Amino acid sequence: MSSTGKSFEKVQYELRPAKQVERRMLLDLFQRLMEAGFPISGYQYTGMGSIYFVDFILFHRYLGIKRMVSVEKEEEIRRRVHFNRPYGSIEIFIGDIADYIPSLSKDRKHILWLDFDFVISREAIGAVVMAATQLSPGSILLVTIDAEPPGDRTWGPKKWCQYFKAEAGDYLGNKSRQHHFARSNLAEINATIFEKAIMQGLAGRDGITFESFVSFAYSDGHLMLSLGGMVAAAEDRQRLRMLDRKMLPFLRDSITGSPYRIRVPLLTRKERLYLDTAMPCRKGWRPKEFEMKPEELLVYTQMHPYFPAYIEGL
């Protein structure tokens, strides 16, 4: 599968605050799915752990998932991947994710996170189609993609249009004209492509639908788009109605609608500790001890349960 670079060499995965907020929101969602009757702790988690395995540690520690598989394409870091594996129970598959998906057992429920670190490609689309075809009912499919424009700084809507037609022409629908490919539209176009890929994968699976959960947009450098939901049979859809959506304000009924924007305000540790003593704060409350823009306070109020804290241990 093609890639524009090795993100593990550029980004310290453990120190990506917006990504960590996303992980914690997913943890909250999965825990509430357990309350709704889904046996998440018995699922198999398949992801792309790279050399950091952050998702694996969280999902094992807080969800009790024991069966885990990390897929790593880069053969040259095989030993490094095995060395950094946090639990001996994690299986390592060195190769393309598209080569692993067909081996996912249809007798087991899965969480599959296709956490791509590059812009959309026909290989990524093919993996999504394959996943929607293979995953058993009750399984969860998550897809992350780099939603920045393809190409270099000299590219514009004309070349972006050409790129998307070459990589995803069959999935663009009526988004085929140059004016559709303004930078502000690219996240929506990515989402539309993946929705159509999922629908293609589900074609012919009687009674099976894709029930959307999340659509996140965030940036720890590049704009990333994460989409997800459940491959659901009738009994799964019935259980999903038990979810208390008021407790999960980031849920989305469609992966092509307006995504939940994850923003992490820049705060000192002391400021955050002070704000936490007032959470959830009453309407109109403002910190008196330091300046804070109302829009930043609103973001923190909504996100404080998921806000990561980093300290240096000296």
Side-chain angles (χ1 to χ4, degrees):
M1 186 172 293
S2 62
S3 172
T4 57
K6 301 171 185 176
S7 62
F8 73 89
E9 294 180 339
K10 303 174 184 176
V11 180
Q12 220 309 345
Y13 279 23
E14 296 170 306
L15 301 179
R16 296 169 64 189
K19 183 72 172 180
Q20 191 69 348
V21 167
E22 176 190 47
R23 293 185 184 109
R24 291 184 176 200
M25 287 179 168
L26 289 172
L27 273 177
D28 195 1
L29 169 60
F30 295 159
Q31 287 168 338
R32 294 184 188 277
L33 284 172
M34 291 174 75
E35 295 172 0
F38 292 96
I40 299 295
S41 61
Y43 279 37
Q44 174 178 314
Y45 175 60
T46 302
M48 300 171 175
S50 185
I51 59 173
Y52 297 103
F53 294 94
V54 181
D55 311 330
F56 291 78
I57 294 170
L58 289 174
F59 293 171
H60 175 72
R61 188 173 292 174
Y62 295 107
L63 299 174
I65 295 177
K66 298 179 177 63
R67 188 184 296 273
M68 303 178 127
V69 179
S70 181
V71 179
E72 173 55 54
K73 181 184 178 184
E74 301 297 336
E75 171 68 36
E76 64 192 64
I77 61 167
R78 174 190 290 268
R79 289 192 300 164
R80 196 174 181 191
V81 168
H82 280 273
F83 176 81
N84 285 285
R85 178 175 53 171
Y87 308 114
S89 58
I90 297 176
E91 177 187 337
I92 305 295
F93 178 86
I94 303 296
D96 201 340
I97 187 67
D99 294 329
Y100 184 78
I101 291 173
S103 69
L104 293 173
S105 173
K106 292 187 177 181
D107 297 323
R108 183 179 297 128
K109 297 183 189 298
H110 300 268
I111 299 172
L112 172 62
W113 194 344
L114 302 175
D115 195 359
F116 301 123
D117 60 0
F118 47 82
V119 297
I120 201 163
S121 67
R122 67 184 67 186
E123 292 89 354
I125 296 166
V128 172
V129 173
M130 193 183 305
T133 302
Q134 183 74 15
L135 287 173
S136 58
S139 295
I140 295 167
L141 173 61
L142 303 169
V143 184
T144 299
I145 202 75
D146 188 332
E148 293 287 346
D152 58 35
R153 294 182 180 181
T154 66
W155 284 33
K158 181 179 180 179
K159 283 197 171 183
W160 298 338
C161 178
Q162 293 170 350
Y163 177 88
F164 275 88
K165 282 184 176 181
E167 297 294 323
D170 294 338
Y171 300 90
L172 289 174
N174 60 2
K175 307 286 188 183
S176 59
R177 301 292 183 88
Q178 180 177 323
H179 69 270
H180 291 133
F181 291 84
R183 187 187 187 103
S184 59
N185 294 337
L186 295 184
E188 179 185 352
I189 289 174
N190 276 279
T192 298
I193 291 168
F194 283 128
E195 181 181 58
K196 291 183 182 300
I198 292 168
M199 293 304 103
Q200 180 177 325
L202 293 179
R205 298 187 67 180
D206 292 340
I208 305 299
T209 59
F210 184 74
E211 301 299 316
S212 300
F213 286 157
V214 293
S215 173
F216 294 125
Y218 62 92
S219 179
D220 287 314
H222 277 211
L223 175 63
M224 306 298 291
L225 182 67
S226 285
L227 312 167
M230 180 175 287
V231 176
E235 59 269 25
D236 302 313
R237 293 191 288 273
Q238 186 173 357
R239 286 196 190 99
L240 288 174
R241 286 196 285 270
M242 298 172 61
L243 274 179
D244 186 352
R245 302 183 78 86
K246 292 181 180 178
M247 301 300 293
L248 299 165
F250 53 83
L251 288 189
R252 292 295 184 267
D253 292 325
S254 170
I255 61 174
T256 56
S258 177
Y260 184 92
R261 298 271 174 180
I262 297 177
R263 292 179 53 225
V264 180
L266 297 177
L267 299 168
T268 68
R269 182 170 180 267
K270 189 173 182 179
E271 288 168 347
R272 179 186 171 179
L273 291 173
Y274 176 84
L275 291 172
D276 283 348
T277 64
M279 295 293 136
C281 63
R282 65 184 183 275
K283 187 176 181 180
W285 181 86
R286 296 285 184 274
K288 296 179 180 179
E289 282 72 10
F290 56 90
E291 303 82 8
M292 190 173 187
K293 296 178 180 178
E295 58 270 23
E296 294 293 294
L297 178 60
L298 177 61
V299 168
Y300 188 78
T301 300
Q302 296 172 340
M303 202 166 291
H304 76 276
Y306 311 107
F307 200 93
Y310 301 112
I311 60 172
E312 182 179 7
L314 296 176

